[in-house]
Amino acid sequence: SKLVQSGWRDEIKSYVADLIEARGVDNVTAEDLIDEVMPRAKERVSEEVKNALLSMIRDAMTAGVKG
């Protein structure tokens, strides 16, 4: 996928690992990680990927309206 190709997945995976290491595996919950990682993960999606996704959504909606 474009996210993998852009390095986004590896970047976020590394960020999560760093958070767990800094806080300690016993001191972090899934909810903590989601709250911490989600804003950064959204921010780091490239404009190219966002535009490609928007185009796919528009195409799907147009096909749905025609069909």
Side-chain angles (χ1 to χ4, degrees):
S1 81
K2 291 184 184 276
L3 287 176
V4 172
Q5 293 171 353
S6 71
W8 177 89
R9 181 179 178 196
D10 290 336
E11 180 182 343
I12 298 305
K13 186 177 178 179
S14 176
Y15 182 62
V16 169
D18 291 346
L19 285 173
I20 292 170
E21 184 176 334
R23 294 183 186 177
V25 71
D26 294 328
N27 299 320
V28 67
T29 65
E31 291 82 16
D32 292 338
L33 289 175
I34 291 167
D35 290 344
E36 182 84 23
V37 174
M38 190 63 73
R40 182 182 181 124
K42 287 180 181 180
E43 175 184 293
R44 301 297 298 164
V45 175
S46 72
E47 287 301 315
E48 177 186 351
V49 172
K50 289 177 186 177
N51 290 336
L53 181 57
L54 184 57
S55 178
M56 288 171 37
I57 292 169
R58 284 185 181 140
D59 290 348
M61 291 181 72
T62 300
V65 169
K66 290 180 183 176

